[in-house]
Structures are given as structure tokens and as C-alpha cells.
Amino acid sequence: MLDTLRRIVQEVNSASDLREALNLMAHRVREAMGTEVCSIYLLDEAEPKYVLMASEGLKPEAVGHVSLKLSEGLVGQVGLREEPVNLEDAFSHPRFHYLAETGEDPFHAFLGVPVIHQGLVFGVLVVQQREARRFDESEVAFLVTISAQLSAVVAHARATGGLHNLEENREHNRASFFTGLAGAPGAAIGTGVLLFPPAELNAVPDRPADDVEDEVQRLEAAVEQARTEIRDLGERARDSLGVEEQALFDVYLRMLDQHALAGEMVERIRDGNWAQGALRQVIQDHVGTFERMEDNYLRERAADVRDLGRRILARLQSNNRREPDYPESCILLGDEITTPMLMEVPRERIAAIATTRGSRNSHMAIVARAMGIPTVVGLQGAPLKKLDDSELILDGFRGRLIANATPELRQQFEDIIEEEKTLLAGLEKWRDDPSETLDGVRIQLQVNTGLMTDIQRSRERGAEGVGLYRTEIPFMVRDRFPSEEEQRAIYREQLEGFAPHPVTMRTLDVGGDKELSYFPIDEENPFLGWRGIRLTLDHPEIFMVQVRAMLKAAEGLDNLRIMLPMVTTVFEAEEAQHLIHRAWLEVRDEGVDVSMPPVGVMVEVPAAVWQARAFAQRVDFLSVGTNDLTQYLLAVDRNNQQVAELYNAYHPAVLHALVHVVEQAHEEGKPAGICGEMAGDPGCALLLLAMGYDSLSMNASQLLKVKAALRQHRILFARQLLNEVLAMDNGQVIASYMDLQMRKAGLGDLIRQAG
Ligand code: PEP
Ligand code: MG
């Protein structure tokens, strides 16, 4: 059974589209279970109804035409109950709904299982048999297992647009909406530009070949280079491999022959695709053929074809490093867009970003917010390859990407973009006013930075210094560790840019989802692994160089503060303080005139919350990183779209932890601040003010909105809100309550939801 299952899954996964996958599945399941019928009904959300999408055994003309309402028939019953329905005689069931078009009269036995993904019913998988009998336990288990696999296929088809018929919508002048999570606020209209990581074959889109001969030449050069590479590998392996393995190299060389793969690729180019797209098509076809083979040995050759494809692609891409032509207003699209990928596109051309992976608090979303770029992450159902080079609208308030917008919808978004500009211009008036409530209670408003461009943007918004400078960002955009002098120069710009206001520099915080290409960390569970201070204390040479660079950069300015990420034990704080002191003595000995900077820790893990007092006794300030603290308190991966709904900074556990931290810091006479995303939310900012936090550090784009919220209210209002929410025990209720209160208080436009 296991073998049958594996084969079905493999075949279905290598199908070229959803329709083929469904047909294959219906065919194979009927065969494996020995039933007369296997049918797949999928949910059409627009109507809503279950549509017969594939069937082996029912009349072929019924496929695509027959449908059942959600509560109709046995199929509807399976969907409603979200569990298998196993009937000896379907006809005698009160829910049985006869569909003449399917020709199902003679089938008595019925087994239907729901196709469920992430708690949502996507469809129903049914087998039927003429003879009246109950299906046994192993048959039910088999169909449930197959259905779980089918749900993944359908979810993938949704995620890649296989279900949304973009072309059909276009023909009927209907807009296509793809939903995701709001990553960074704002709306934009622009041209889709698909960014894809190098050497990732499946990510390559089809694009028209600008110059067919040129593309053919590029491909031939890349194939030739790959042949040389394979020949060299074969030579090198001569002594270590057996005759059989050596023969494989000849097979590879033959595959790359003009008459084999390479020839097919050239044909595809001549049909109009660019070289990279032609390569992907041909390799995918052949991989599919091999994967469908019965013979184990031949099936494994699929991996070889894939490897050849990757080699040619790598050559093609490195030979082909022309500056891409970015349109005026790009909506960058990608499964995942890393910070370095983002940096390759000129900032003035980026109108918005949309990705299928990630969630609101993943690093890319934070960088996008810092850069003020409207962003949607965790996008569902967007056929990225098909959206490349078409006009799109991105709604970063509600987390949507829209294609084929009607003129009315486009106009609506043009108005929203205009209104947002007006709102921001209106906020300008608060720029030079102190950040205090109507009755004069002050809180420092600072910015989170990481890029050079942040300096100008932050100053324009009247920031009182930097509460978090993410030093990993300049590390991420390089291909090696920056030297001490390179770091000094970068840090100097930040310190000078904000002097005399303080600049809080966080020591290198990599690990988790922040990777350095030149310092790979391979861990099963990176968020609970080697990250932040854990890593830098294990590498004092990296830590010391960085701290020395910071100290040297602060000479004559003395506005540096050093902050330690991911601290879990007091020992880590003491050890880091000791190293910082040593670095300070060293640079002083070298003649640098700088005072010992204040050193603080970030409260990002629950352990630090409960030891806040012990930390406050040792260091100069505490700063709560609510992004990580929320993730660790709630055990919700901040990058995992599947659990994004559970990630809620209004969860009572988070709010009570925040109250505890500020109380403990103040008991020791030390200031406490917030530097997570929560600080930039006008509603949260009021609560944090009422808790007694001394500073809030946020994206520059949120600063004036937060200031506007503070300046229009009294501290009493904030304290009342805080008391009310602290008495509640449900984070979602708190979030809705805060939303309502913000609107009632006239702050609705600051927390806008577009559309
Ligand atoms: C945080 O965790 O809240 C934080 C500010 O750090 P980062 O988002 O860079 O992990
Ligand atoms: Mg953090």
C-alpha cells in the first residue's frame, strides 16, 4: 500500500497542471482501490459550490459541469461534517441527491472524504462501487491519506494561481484578487517584476526572447561550459569511481548533446521563450518523465537531469549579468525576496513588494517597512510567473494584490494613494513638536534604522535618535564580513547623522531568519538556536571588531549606546560587558578619545522578562524586542504564515510581560524602551505610554502617526485603555476593542484599512 501511495503522490506531483494532477489521481485511486468510480469535487468559493473536477467512472461530459451546493447531497454532507462518510447504500441515505448527468444510478457503496488544508475544506474525494458494501478501515485510511496529499496539491495550485483563472478574468474584464498579510502599509500601482533567486530552476519565469539568435548563443555557451565542467568532474572521479558510475558521465555528456536536451532547448527559444525559460521547460519535462518511470534506477535519474539543468542555469545567469531594465514603478514579486535581492533594485523604482512566503514580522517585511515600501507577504493564490510584467495594484493596508483591475477599482486606489499623501503631509505639522500628551506627559520617539537612507527619512520626521540600529543589515548586503575600518565608516555616518541624539547600536544579530551568505548556519530549529549574542560570544573576534569599530566611530560625538540581542542569562550580559570594556580600553590605548558608552540588553525571550530586575541591576537600560518576545511567549514562529493569526502582540501574556519589565527596570532606576514593531502602532503606543515606557523606537514611516496619536490625547485616556485591556483575557477581543477605541477617538485614519 505504501508503495502504491508513494507512486501516486510522485506522479501527481510531477503533473504539469492541476487538471492533469486531478485526472491522474482519480485514475490511480480507482485502480488502487478496485472501485468503479473515483471523483474529485473542488470548492468554487465564488458561488459557493462543489464542482466535479475529475472523475473516472462517471460520464466524462459531467466533469466541469455538474456541481452541488455546499449543503447538497452526500458530497455536501462530507464537506459540512469535515469527516469521512462511508455508506453501504447511498440511495437509501436521506441526503442522497440524484444527479442524472453523472450516470451514477448503478453505484450503491459510497465513501467520501473531505480535502482539507489548514482547517479549510477545499473539496471532497469520493469513491463509489456498484455492489452494496461498507468500505473497510484500511480503505478509509488509504483514501484519507490520499486526500491529505491532494489537499497539498490543491493548496499549491491555489498558491500558484492554478485555480484562479487569470486569463478568464481578463477576458471578462474581471479583477483578480490575491490575498495575503499586510506587511507594510500603503498602496501602489505599478508593473509586476518577478525576482527569483539565482540557480533555482523552478522559479524561472517564461519571458519573451528579445533577440532569438542572442538567446540561442547564450544557451549554447552555457551548455558548452556545463559540458566542460562535467568532463572535468569525470576526469577527477576516474580513480575513485567504478566503471558503472564513470559511464554516467558519458550519459550526461550525451544528454547535453545538440541532438538531445540542448537541441530541444534551442527549439523552445525559436518558439519565442528566452533561454532561461526554455531551459526550465525542457528540464521539467524530462524530470517528469523520469519520475514517472516504474524502474527505481531510472526514476533516480530525474535528479541527474535536474542537476544538469541547475548547472546550465548557473552558467546562463552568471554569463548574463546585464543590468536588468526595471520599469518606473515596480511591484516586486517573489516567493521570497531577501534583503540583498531587494538592494539590487534602485530604491526610486520600487513601488511595492509582494511575496508568497514570510509573514508580518519576518525580516524582509521589517526592512520594507523601514524603507516605507507598501508590502504584502504570505500571498495566496498569486501566479507570480503570470503576473510578471503586468499592471498590478498592491494594497498593503489589507494585504491584497490585484490584477486586471477595472478602471473604477484603479480610480479608487488612485484616490487612496492621494489621500495617504495628504494624510502624511498633514502629519508634518507635528514634526518639531515634542512627543507628549495633551497634558504634557513625554515619551521619547526614536527610529529603527539599518540603511543609510534611513538617516534622511528619520530626520525629516523629527526622530529623537535611534532606538535600534540593526547592524546586521550592512553585514547582509556584503559577501564577506566588513572590516573594522569599513564598519567604523558606516557607523560614523549613523552617529553623525543623529548627533547629539543617541544612537543605539545593536551588536550583530544573525541566526534565526537572518542569514549571512558567507557565514551559513545550518540548524534544525534556528529560532531556538545559535543566534544573536550566543553566536557573537562564541566568536569574540567578530564581536570585538564590531565593538571597536563602534567605539572609534563615536569619537568626539559620544552619542553611542550599545545593545545586546537575544540575551537569556545574566552571564551573557556580563561576558559581553566585559568584552566591551576591554575593547574600550584597547581603543583608548590607541588614542581614541571616547567615553565608555551605556550598555543595555534587549528583552526578547521569556527568561529575560522574569529576570528583568537582575538585568536592570547590571546594565544601563532595557529595550524590549516585542517581535521576538511575542514569538517566544506565544510559541508562534514569526515567519510562519500558517500560524500568523496566532501571532498577536495584544495577547494578555505579552501585555502583562511588558508591564512587568518596565516596573522592574524602574525599580532599579533604569530606563526601559520598546523597539519591536509594536512601538509603531498608534494604539499600542498609547498602551506602552500608560505602562510607563520611556522610549518607543519604530520605523520612520510610523513616527508621525504615533506622535499624532499621543499629542491628541491625555494620559488619563491611555491609562483607562490600559486598565481595561489588562482586565481582558482574550488577545483577539483586545485587538478588536483597541481598533474600535482608536476609531472612536478619531484616530481611524492613522490605522487605515484601504478599499
Ligand atoms: C525584536 O525582536 O523585536 C527586534 C526589534 O529585533 P528583530 O526584529 O531585528 O529581531
Ligand atoms: Mg529580535
Side-chain angles (χ1 to χ4, degrees):
M1 206 52 137
L2 194 64
D3 219 35
T4 315
L5 249 172
R6 190 184 53 80
R7 188 133 18 86
I8 296 181
V9 170
Q10 217 161 33
E11 279 186 39
V12 167
N13 283 343
S14 56
S16 61
D17 59 25
L18 181 67
R19 205 161 290 269
E20 187 188 325
L22 297 178
N23 288 336
L24 253 167
M25 184 161 273
H27 179 72
R28 290 286 185 230
V29 170
R30 184 175 81 148
E31 193 178 68
M33 293 186 69
T35 55
E36 270 106 22
V37 176
C38 175
S39 310
I40 301 170
Y41 295 82
L42 290 189
L43 177 70
D44 174 352
E45 274 165 310
E47 298 277 346
K49 59 183 182 185
Y50 291 113
V51 182
L52 179 68
M53 297 293 285
S55 180
E56 281 284 322
L58 296 184
K59 285 190 181 156
E61 9 353 329
V63 174
H65 298 291
V66 165
S67 64
L68 287 155
K69 293 201 199 91
L70 296 198
S71 56
E72 212 167 43
L74 295 172
V75 166
Q77 188 68 3
V78 175
L80 279 180
R81 293 176 53 168
E82 301 186 0
E83 60 180 2
V85 170
N86 185 359
L87 301 172
E88 192 173 335
D89 183 18
F91 294 109
S92 57
H93 193 280
R95 286 283 182 169
F96 179 74
H97 182 96
Y98 175 62
L99 291 167
E101 310 90 297
T102 63
E104 66 179 341
D105 314 21
F107 308 114
H108 289 275
F110 173 100
L111 172 61
V113 297
V115 180
I116 300 188
H117 184 73
Q118 292 188 359
L120 297 174
V121 178
F122 279 0
V124 176
L125 174 60
V126 174
V127 288
Q128 288 171 282
Q129 207 161 359
R130 191 159 283 131
E131 170 202 354
R133 69 161 183 112
R134 262 181 86 78
F135 288 89
D136 69 27
E137 269 182 28
S138 70
E139 288 171 311
V140 176
F142 178 80
L143 204 63
V144 167
T145 315
I146 282 284
S147 158
Q149 297 293 337
L150 177 60
S151 77
V153 173
V154 177
H156 178 75
R158 286 174 166 237
T160 51
L163 283 186
H164 286 263
N165 199 334
L166 200 64
E167 284 80 14
E168 210 177 293
N169 278 350
R170 197 169 282 153
E171 265 169 37
H172 292 90
N173 287 332
R174 280 194 305 243
S176 298
F177 289 82
F178 306 104
T179 53
L181 303 163
I189 301 176
T191 311
V193 174
L194 180 60
L195 300 185
F196 50 94
E200 216 181 286
L201 205 56
N202 290 339
V204 172
D206 290 327
R207 281 182 184 160
D210 289 339
D211 176 340
V212 169
E213 287 317 314
D214 193 43
E215 290 296 304
V216 169
Q217 263 180 21
R218 277 174 205 288
L219 178 83
E220 285 177 346
V223 169
E224 198 39 51
Q225 286 167 326
R227 284 174 64 84
T228 312
E229 198 178 310
I230 302 274
R231 227 176 271 123
D232 290 351
L233 282 175
E235 286 292 313
R236 253 184 281 154
R238 193 172 292 276
D239 300 331
S240 49
L241 291 182
V243 183
E244 209 171 297
E245 284 89 356
Q246 270 183 41
L248 267 183
F249 285 92
D250 294 329
V251 175
Y252 298 157
L253 288 174
R254 278 202 299 280
M255 280 186 183
L256 292 177
D257 205 81
Q258 273 308 335
H259 305 292
L261 297 182
E264 281 184 48
M265 291 168 202
V266 170
E267 248 172 62
R268 304 278 178 125
I269 298 177
R270 298 216 185 277
D271 286 345
N273 208 347
W274 66 325
Q276 297 191 33
L279 170 72
R280 193 209 71 241
Q281 287 183 344
V282 171
I283 295 293
Q284 277 182 343
D285 281 358
H286 285 267
V287 165
T289 311
F290 276 109
E291 277 178 346
R292 281 193 291 277
M293 291 185 176
E294 292 284 328
D295 183 273
N296 261 339
Y297 176 81
L298 287 176
R299 226 177 20 241
E300 276 164 22
R301 299 283 68 78
D304 299 337
V305 179
R306 215 179 279 119
D307 178 70
L308 285 180
R310 256 187 238 123
R311 281 174 198 278
I312 304 173
L313 184 66
R315 297 296 182 169
L316 211 45
Q317 289 177 335
S318 62
N319 297 345
N320 197 12
R321 284 201 71 78
R322 304 175 286 186
E323 254 326 288
D325 262 345
Y326 293 106
E328 270 306 287
S329 187
C330 302
I331 299 201
L332 301 181
L333 308 169
D335 283 322
E336 196 166 11
I337 296 181
T338 60
T339 310
M341 280 161 83
L342 196 59
M343 298 301 143
E344 284 196 9
V345 188
R347 170 64 188 94
E348 67 283 2
R349 301 258 158 141
I350 310 177
I353 303 173
T355 63
T356 57
R357 300 216 187 108
S359 79
R360 231 190 95 70
N361 284 288
S362 51
H363 211 247
M364 195 281 298
I366 290 175
V367 171
R369 281 202 285 281
M371 291 169 78
I373 306 171
T375 297
V376 175
V377 291
L379 204 58
Q380 300 277 304
L384 296 187
K385 286 183 194 156
K386 290 188 189 157
L387 296 177
D388 187 40
D389 203 28
S390 49
E391 191 192 80
L392 300 172
I393 295 178
L394 182 129
D395 173 357
F397 297 108
R398 287 179 57 186
R400 299 184 299 175
L401 183 70
I402 305 162
N404 308 332
T406 54
E408 301 75 42
L409 196 62
R410 196 179 193 285
Q411 184 58 49
Q412 201 183 333
F413 272 89
E414 278 172 13
D415 294 346
I416 289 168
I417 294 168
E418 233 5 81
E419 278 165 26
E420 189 64 9
K421 268 195 207 142
T422 316
L423 169 73
L424 290 180
L427 293 175
E428 287 293 317
K429 65 172 186 276
W430 309 108
R431 200 198 105 129
D432 297 317
D433 291 333
S435 41
E436 59 185 24
T437 56
L438 280 174
D439 43 357
V441 177
R442 261 187 72 65
I443 187 166
Q444 240 182 342
L445 295 190
Q446 300 179 320
V447 277
N448 293 350
T449 60
L451 305 163
M452 289 300 172
T453 48
D454 291 334
I455 302 177
Q456 183 62 19
R457 280 166 40 79
S458 309
R459 276 203 306 228
E460 281 166 14
R461 289 169 173 78
E464 301 168 87
V466 176
L468 166 63
Y469 171 57
R470 291 188 164 95
T471 58
E472 66 275 10
I473 294 180
F475 278 67
M476 281 169 148
V477 295
R478 287 181 164 63
D479 51 14
R480 57 168 174 76
F481 281 110
S483 68
E484 183 174 314
E485 176 48 28
E486 281 169 330
Q487 290 188 49
R488 190 203 61 78
I490 302 168
Y491 302 157
R492 180 79 188 172
E493 283 205 45
Q494 286 281 326
L495 292 160
E496 266 178 351
F498 288 95
H501 293 302
V503 174
T504 312
M505 296 204 166
R506 173 168 77 182
T507 59
L508 188 63
D509 185 22
V510 289
D513 67 333
K514 298 178 229 175
E515 262 190 45
L516 299 179
S517 56
Y518 47 91
F519 191 70
I521 304 168
D522 189 15
E523 291 179 314
E524 283 277 312
N525 204 344
F527 274 112
L528 298 185
W530 201 43
R531 59 171 303 206
I533 196 75
R534 302 174 182 179
L535 185 149
T536 46
L537 284 183
D538 282 350
H539 277 281
E541 77 288 8
I542 299 174
F543 188 79
M544 288 295 277
V545 166
Q546 182 173 43
V547 172
R548 284 168 53 87
M550 288 176 179
L551 292 166
K552 285 183 172 175
E555 187 175 23
L557 298 171
D558 275 344
N559 58 341
L560 167 69
R561 304 188 334 149
I562 297 182
M563 184 159 81
L564 312 168
M566 268 297 285
V567 174
T568 318
T569 67
V570 289
F571 173 76
E572 287 165 338
E574 285 167 354
E575 183 75 1
Q577 277 176 309
H578 165 73
L579 289 176
I580 294 171
H581 193 251
R582 211 173 84 196
W584 179 67
L585 292 176
E586 280 174 18
V587 298
R588 292 243 312 180
D589 279 353
E590 290 167 29
V592 178
D593 182 18
V594 64
S595 21
M596 177 69 191
V599 176
V601 297
M602 288 186 79
V603 178
E604 298 189 280
V605 294
V609 171
W610 303 112
Q611 279 209 292
R613 184 112 189 219
F615 283 115
Q617 282 159 359
R618 288 166 172 80
V619 298
D620 302 302
F621 62 92
L622 300 187
S623 180
V624 187
T626 48
N627 307 337
D628 275 314
L629 184 60
T630 306
Q631 130 164 297
Y632 292 124
L633 270 177
L634 307 185
V636 175
D637 179 345
R638 64 195 260 190
N639 284 311
N640 186 341
Q641 206 250 328
Q642 187 142 347
V643 286
E645 291 220 350
L646 295 174
Y647 188 98
N648 178 7
Y650 283 122
H651 190 292
V654 178
L655 296 179
H656 287 279
L658 290 171
V659 171
H660 180 75
V661 171
V662 68
E663 280 173 2
Q664 297 296 298
H666 287 176
E667 287 283 334
E668 292 299 325
K670 301 288 168 61
I674 302 279
C675 63
E677 292 301 297
M678 213 180 156
D681 176 291
C684 292
L686 284 171
L687 297 182
L688 296 167
L689 169 83
M691 288 180 193
Y693 276 92
D694 305 282
S695 60
L696 301 179
S697 190
M698 66 202 76
N699 295 308
S701 36
Q702 290 302 104
L703 198 134
L704 287 176
K705 293 185 183 175
V706 169
K707 195 189 268 192
L710 298 176
R711 287 194 59 86
Q712 295 178 71
H713 291 94
R714 294 181 186 281
I715 186 71
L716 197 66
F717 171 70
R719 289 201 180 124
Q720 260 169 3
L721 267 183
L722 179 65
N723 284 338
E724 280 160 1
V725 300
L726 285 181
M728 298 180 186
D729 57 9
N730 180 328
Q732 277 173 343
V733 174
I734 299 178
S736 314
Y737 181 75
M738 284 298 294
D739 197 67
L740 185 71
Q741 292 305 314
M742 291 296 98
R743 287 176 200 281
K744 270 170 76 180
L747 301 178
D749 52 348
L750 299 180
I751 51 165
R752 166 206 281 281
Q753 303 269 300

